[in-house]
Amino acid sequence: MTNDDLQKIRVAAADKEDVEFELDRAELVLKEAVAEAISHGEDIKVVAEVAELPLDDVVKLAAQETDPNPVLPF
């Protein structure tokens, strides 16, 4: 294996990690937007449709938003 081969592997691994980070960030932004829409009184079914998420997932997000004692990370 040459140094060029190793460098290609390093770059590919870094690119993959970057894409995974962006996907995680996009998922968080979507969840925040869904929670905000629900807190503003938007219909959960409409939010689920627009967000392209299963209704059950949106209902769970809505329940998390209304939990008076949420478990927060350190």
Side-chain angles (χ1 to χ4, degrees):
M1 190 177 286
T2 67
N3 283 335
D4 190 44
D5 292 334
L6 294 175
Q7 184 60 23
K8 286 179 184 178
I9 293 169
R10 286 185 190 103
V11 169
D15 287 349
K16 181 180 179 236
E17 185 177 343
D18 186 49
V19 169
E20 289 171 345
F21 174 80
E22 287 300 319
L23 182 59
D24 289 345
R25 187 191 65 75
E27 185 175 331
L28 178 61
V29 170
L30 177 59
K31 286 180 179 180
E32 289 174 349
V34 165
E36 186 175 345
I38 291 168
S39 73
H40 291 157
E42 294 296 333
D43 183 270
I44 289 178
K45 290 179 183 178
V46 172
V47 171
E49 183 179 331
V50 171
E52 298 180 6
L53 293 172
L55 182 59
D56 291 344
D57 290 354
V58 176
V59 168
K60 288 176 188 174
L61 284 172
Q64 289 174 359
E65 284 300 305
T66 59
D67 185 355
N69 297 310
V71 177
L72 301 175
F74 293 109

